[in-house]
Amino acid sequence: MKSKLHIILLTALLMLSACSATKYVPEGDFLYKGTSVKMRGKEVSRKEQRTLSEELETIMRPKPNRAFLGIPFRLHIYSFWGTPGKEKGLGNWISRKVGEPPVLMSTVRPDYQRNLVVNRLENRGYFRTTLESDSTIQRKKIKFNIKADPGRQYLIDTVYFPMDTAVLAREMGLISENSFLRKGEPFDLDVIKAERERINARLKEQGFYYFSPDHLLILTDTTGGTFSVNLSVIVRPGTSPLAQEKFTIHNIFIYPQHSLADTAVTGDTMTHKGFIVIDPEKTFKSEMFDYVMAFEPGDLYNRTDHNRSLNRLIDLGVFKYVENKFLDAKGSQLDVYYYLTPFQKKSLRVELQGRNTSTNFAGAEINVSWQNRNAFRSAENVKLSVYGGADFQISGINKGNNLYRLGAEINFNIPRFITPFRVVTPASFIPRTKFSIGFDKLNRVQSYVLNSFRASFGYRWKENIRTEHELTVFAVNYIQPTNITPAYEEQLAQDPTLANAIQRQFILGPSYNYNFTNTIGQTRKHTFYYNGNIGLSGNIPGLLSGASYKDGDTKKILNAEFSQYIKTDHDGRYYNNLGHGSIFAARLFAGIGFAYGNSQALPFVKQYFAGGSSGLRAFRARALGPGSFITENIGENVIAADQTADIKLEVNLEYRPKISGILNGALFLDAGNIWLLREDPERPGAAISGDFLNELAVGVGFGLRFDFSFFVLRGDLAFPLRKPWYPEKERWVLDEISFEKSEWRRENLVFNLAIGYPF
């Protein structure tokens, strides 16, 4: 009986949905449901037919009303809330801002759509297309149908490049062997356009400053009658002599104190290695431009050095605007002018951040930073930050277990390599030498106080816009615990692993980070991100001292054991742009750390944890794992969950549909866990084994994202599907899900409020 009632209700809803969709369609008109383009004919494979159909349907205009899972929700909102012609009222405001008016057939131009199909197919080499079209009408809805027989695709037979003795023609002949136009390949207008750009780019590298793709003609001859095309690449008749001439660099003028309001800056000039620097106030050392400018007087003009110089000037971080001009000097020479508008040298910034965590903490942090962008007149950046924050436990056991954090940090950034030997990089980005020193004090009121002193020295450089490296040659972190409370000592007696959090120790050693992303610079359908780290600690002191925790012969520095370990982790992400602002995102994280020599375990701050707002969102931060282990009833003395381990594996899948304006949605699934490398008697089931995949936790949820451009406010609600601490054959908990029960909601629903996307 219930199933029949459900079917009746569903049918009624679908009928109501269909009626509301056409509510505001005028009499004599129809709701436009889109245009389908189907390929047919024996000359084109089925795979190519599908590809062409999908491509052609994406260029049809106008687009029908957007739909999710086949339902045009925004159209229904418009129909339900709004009254066309009226401006006022809450319903009409919702209708205009969230809803979407019906797309009518009267706005569709069938002849235009048919011409689009023919033109696009001709651009793909199908010059003998025949079309048929009709429409399908159902109630007040209409769908336009186009059936195309593209015929046989034309292939390239010959490609002719000029072979005369003119300078430009000779250069074109020399670069023809890498042409995108090849015998036997299909005729494709996009490939022809790409070939023009390729030739232009190659000629720009050979000094042809005034040349452009518009100076090229690629003539097409299809008169052979054999479904083949002959192409001729020629210079357009009437092209100016300047476009056919090579240019070299004459003078290089640099104005590092240019103002947008003042076009003429005069005063004392400095000449350094051929650069003429006009800087009356001597704000910058002229030597700074040695490692920034790619051009030198007498060089043949080329676009690579042109762009490299501009990118380096911008990457220095001291110039707000960078303008570049090339003007004719004499003969075949160019004078180069760089107009540089600097940022304000010194600045003060205050940041206030609020947060709420899945561990029942809410808090805020304030950060005050002072910055000098040109400390020693060569774009050196000095930044001093002072910060303080508090997190308050607003519910849960031992309410009032608040956290207070206070710290300061100095960062000194030099825009070049500081090394005993000269290092030259041809990249378009400025390498950096980094020094930092900082202090941090963490006061966990009912537990302990941790003082942390740190310092580091290293380098950061980019190969290109996608790839970045960071090598920390030396880093030291000294952690000193104080004010350990009796309550925490009592808990230590029951759970000795918590001693890792208050261990006095030295962490010292190098690290290397590699980062790749192709998400910058252009919109792509498929984008990738990868970040890999490897870190070492205590290896040289360990070798020199022969320290070994196994023999009880651990060594100390300043009365603190130094950590000895190797650790590596890898974070890979994939994004699929689904169109209309919707995205599918996936992440795989894997990390492992191995302690040896002077250490039995990784330092607490280097260990992995699971759960939280950016990980397994159905589980509270640091409360999951390791493995199948779960903290048993420790009683009222529990202060906070703090489970950490040596290995972490995590997979996240997330669908992010565009809802409206700044509002986006999210449906996600998270899976993963953490494990120990070694057995721990205090935590049975925590060590990794060959059956580790059977110990994965799984959770699902949904959320909302408010994208304000400069930051994203995110709220996620999640619950577990699989609990690894349950008996082996009972870990899937789908049968336990019961939203109507308050006890289940209290124990399983986890809400996370955060800033920014989880990945």
Side-chain angles (χ1 to χ4, degrees):
M1 184 68 183
K2 283 186 177 181
S3 62
K4 291 182 179 179
L5 180 61
H6 290 160
I7 293 173
I8 293 171
L9 288 173
L10 179 60
T11 304
L13 285 172
L14 290 174
M15 293 178 64
L16 180 63
S17 170
C19 293
S20 65
T22 57
K23 181 178 179 181
Y24 290 119
V25 174
E27 191 66 32
D29 209 338
F30 299 91
L31 178 67
Y32 174 63
K33 297 296 291 180
T35 298
S36 71
V37 183
K38 302 299 182 185
M39 296 291 113
R40 60 186 184 181
K42 299 179 180 179
E43 302 288 351
V44 183
S45 68
R46 290 186 178 182
K47 180 179 179 181
E48 182 67 12
Q49 287 182 10
R50 287 194 300 269
T51 302
L52 289 171
S53 295
E54 292 172 0
E55 178 185 347
L56 289 166
E57 288 179 357
T58 62
I59 66 173
M60 294 294 102
R61 295 295 183 272
K63 292 287 187 182
N65 291 99
R66 284 176 282 180
F68 176 62
L69 298 178
I71 302 174
F73 289 105
R74 296 185 65 182
L75 174 59
H76 291 315
I77 292 172
Y78 178 89
S79 301
F80 181 81
W81 287 98
T83 304
K86 292 187 177 182
E87 294 290 332
K88 297 182 179 180
L90 175 62
N92 287 290
W93 182 87
I94 294 174
S95 178
R96 292 193 311 272
K97 297 297 184 181
V98 182
E100 184 179 73
V103 179
L104 303 176
M105 185 60 194
S106 58
T107 65
V108 180
R109 296 162 52 196
D111 287 342
Y112 171 75
Q113 292 192 341
R114 284 189 287 262
N115 288 334
L116 274 179
V117 172
V118 172
N119 291 338
R120 181 57 65 95
L121 290 174
E122 286 181 349
N123 292 344
R124 294 288 182 268
Y126 298 98
F127 294 114
R128 299 186 181 183
T129 299
T130 58
L131 294 182
E132 291 180 8
S133 61
D134 58 28
S135 57
T136 305
I137 300 176
Q138 187 178 15
R139 298 186 180 91
K140 295 190 71 174
K141 302 176 183 178
I142 188 169
K143 190 175 184 68
F144 192 55
N145 307 304
I146 297 177
K147 299 174 183 177
D149 184 349
R152 185 172 170 183
Q153 189 176 27
Y154 280 63
L155 305 179
I156 297 173
D157 185 23
T158 61
V159 182
Y160 167 77
F161 280 85
M163 301 299 292
D164 56 54
T165 58
V167 173
L168 178 57
R170 188 167 61 250
E171 291 290 347
M172 288 177 57
L174 291 174
I175 63 177
S176 63
E177 64 179 55
N178 294 318
S179 173
F180 296 151
L181 307 175
R182 300 185 181 93
K183 180 180 175 64
E185 293 292 325
F187 175 91
D188 192 320
L189 186 60
D190 288 341
V191 176
I192 289 176
K193 291 178 180 178
E195 175 67 2
R196 293 175 68 201
E197 294 291 344
R198 183 193 74 87
I199 294 173
N200 175 61
R202 292 290 301 270
L203 292 175
K204 283 291 194 295
E205 296 299 313
Q206 301 301 320
F208 292 93
Y209 173 75
Y210 288 104
F211 191 85
S212 77
D214 291 336
H215 293 129
L216 283 174
L217 286 179
I218 299 182
L219 305 179
T220 304
D221 179 12
T222 60
T223 58
T226 57
F227 295 97
S228 62
V229 179
N230 298 317
L231 302 177
S232 298
V233 184
I234 66 170
V235 178
R236 184 185 294 272
T239 297
S240 70
L242 284 176
Q244 303 183 57
E245 191 172 350
K246 291 187 176 185
F247 284 82
T248 58
I249 304 301
H250 185 224
N251 291 317
I252 300 175
F253 298 92
I254 303 171
Y255 295 82
Q257 280 293 315
H258 177 69
S259 169
L260 295 180
D262 259 342
T263 56
V265 178
T266 59
D268 295 338
T269 63
M270 298 178 288
T271 302
H272 180 77
K273 293 187 177 180
F275 305 129
I276 302 171
V277 183
I278 298 89
D279 185 9
E281 299 178 10
K282 295 182 172 55
T283 309
F284 295 92
K285 295 178 181 178
S286 57
E287 292 86 349
M288 180 186 78
F289 298 103
D290 286 355
Y291 52 87
V292 177
M293 294 298 176
F295 278 133
E296 292 184 3
D299 286 351
L300 182 69
Y301 170 83
N302 65 87
R303 179 175 282 178
T304 297
D305 286 343
H306 179 169
N307 292 334
R308 182 179 292 143
S309 297
L310 292 176
N311 286 340
R312 287 177 173 179
L313 286 166
I314 294 170
D315 197 44
L316 277 174
V318 293
F319 298 116
K320 187 189 304 185
Y321 303 108
V322 175
E323 185 181 357
N324 178 216
K325 290 183 179 178
F326 290 82
L327 300 177
D328 292 341
K330 57 182 181 179
S332 301
Q333 293 182 312
L334 297 169
D335 282 338
V336 192
Y337 295 82
Y338 293 95
Y339 300 100
L340 315 175
T341 304
F343 282 107
Q344 186 175 348
K345 181 179 178 180
K346 298 176 183 178
S347 62
L348 186 67
R349 181 186 179 103
V350 179
E351 295 176 305
L352 182 63
Q353 181 182 25
R355 56 178 172 261
N356 181 63
T357 71
S358 62
T359 51
N360 300 318
F361 279 88
E365 181 172 295
I366 186 171
N367 187 312
V368 181
S369 59
W370 174 87
Q371 184 175 205
N372 188 329
R373 296 178 182 271
N374 188 31
F376 302 104
R377 298 174 51 223
S378 289
E380 300 90 351
N381 189 306
V382 177
K383 185 175 182 180
L384 171 63
S385 300
V386 179
Y387 47 87
D391 290 279
F392 303 97
Q393 189 169 14
I394 54 179
S395 63
I397 299 173
N398 281 347
K399 180 180 176 181
N401 182 33
N402 303 329
L403 303 176
Y404 298 95
R405 184 169 178 247
L406 181 68
E409 185 174 57
I410 298 176
N411 287 286
F412 182 35
N413 193 313
I414 302 172
R416 59 187 177 277
F417 283 124
I418 305 296
T419 59
F421 45 87
R422 181 176 174 80
V423 177
V424 179
T425 171
S428 297
F429 299 89
I430 297 294
R432 308 201 178 255
T433 302
K434 301 170 57 182
F435 300 87
S436 70
I437 185 169
F439 166 76
D440 192 85
K441 183 171 186 174
L442 175 68
N443 183 358
R444 198 166 188 168
V445 174
Q446 297 181 9
S447 306
Y448 50 76
V449 174
L450 286 182
N451 298 303
S452 175
F453 305 87
R454 61 186 180 276
S456 67
F457 158 71
Y459 306 99
R460 188 178 76 237
W461 69 98
K462 297 181 73 169
E463 291 180 40
N464 48 54
I465 198 171
R466 299 179 300 276
T467 305
E468 183 175 58
H469 307 262
E470 184 163 358
L471 174 65
T472 301
V473 178
F474 176 77
V476 59
N477 189 358
Y478 173 61
I479 300 172
Q480 178 191 47
T482 60
N483 298 343
I484 301 171
T485 65
Y488 196 78
E489 289 181 341
E490 184 178 344
Q491 189 175 348
L492 281 176
Q494 300 178 59
D495 187 0
T497 61
L498 295 176
N500 293 331
I502 56 171
Q503 184 180 5
R504 184 191 301 265
Q505 59 190 298
F506 261 105
I507 304 172
L508 65 164
S511 64
Y512 169 72
N513 174 270
Y514 173 82
N515 186 277
F516 170 84
T517 178
N518 66 348
T519 61
I520 301 172
Q522 57 181 304
T523 302
R524 301 170 182 261
K525 181 173 177 61
H526 305 282
T527 54
F528 302 89
Y529 169 92
Y530 169 75
N531 185 274
N533 292 280
I534 183 168
L536 308 172
S537 176
N539 292 284
I540 295 177
L543 289 172
L544 295 176
S545 64
S548 174
Y549 77 89
K550 292 182 179 179
D551 300 332
D553 186 23
T554 55
K555 305 299 181 181
K556 296 183 178 182
I557 300 175
L558 297 179
N559 201 33
E561 294 180 0
F562 62 84
S563 297
Q564 195 169 358
Y565 67 83
I566 180 170
K567 179 188 175 188
T568 181
D569 46 57
H570 307 269
D571 183 354
R573 307 175 189 182
Y574 164 72
Y575 303 92
N576 186 345
N577 185 347
L578 302 174
H580 304 297
S582 298
I583 293 174
F584 171 75
R587 173 175 63 179
L588 172 63
F589 180 94
I592 182 170
F594 175 66
Y596 60 98
N598 208 48
S599 299
Q600 185 174 4
L602 291 174
F604 181 75
V605 295
K606 298 294 183 179
Q607 292 182 0
Y608 299 107
F609 70 90
S613 62
S614 295
L616 299 174
R617 285 160 281 185
F619 303 88
R620 304 191 186 280
R622 298 180 181 270
L624 176 64
S628 59
F629 172 76
I630 183 173
T631 304
E632 297 295 342
N633 299 324
I634 298 178
E636 293 299 320
N637 289 329
V638 171
I639 294 177
D642 236 347
Q643 294 302 327
T644 58
D646 310 310
I647 303 172
K648 180 176 181 178
L649 178 66
E650 187 173 303
V651 177
N652 311 93
L653 305 175
E654 185 166 294
Y655 170 57
R656 301 170 181 171
K658 180 78 172 179
I659 297 177
S660 176
I662 65 170
L663 181 60
N664 299 319
L667 299 172
F668 56 83
L669 181 146
D670 304 320
N673 207 338
I674 55 174
W675 294 269
L676 297 177
L677 270 175
R678 302 181 178 97
E679 296 284 351
D680 183 350
E682 302 293 336
R683 291 190 284 180
I688 194 166
S689 67
D691 197 29
F692 71 95
L693 290 178
N694 195 33
E695 296 174 342
L696 293 179
V698 180
V700 296
F702 63 92
L704 295 175
R705 286 91 168 87
F706 297 87
D707 190 344
F708 298 99
S709 295
F710 54 94
F711 81 97
V712 175
L713 179 64
R714 168 169 60 94
D716 290 326
L717 186 65
F719 58 92
L721 297 181
R722 196 170 194 275
K723 299 178 178 180
W725 60 88
Y726 274 26
E728 187 171 341
K729 295 184 178 180
E730 302 175 16
R731 290 171 180 171
W732 288 102
V733 292
L734 298 173
D735 57 336
E736 292 185 3
I737 298 173
S738 184
F739 289 97
E740 69 276 9
K741 294 182 180 179
S742 60
E743 183 179 355
W744 181 89
R745 295 196 302 269
R746 184 173 58 254
E747 293 180 358
N748 293 275
L749 286 183
V750 178
F751 176 72
N752 293 282
L753 182 66
I755 302 294
Y757 287 101
F759 57 93

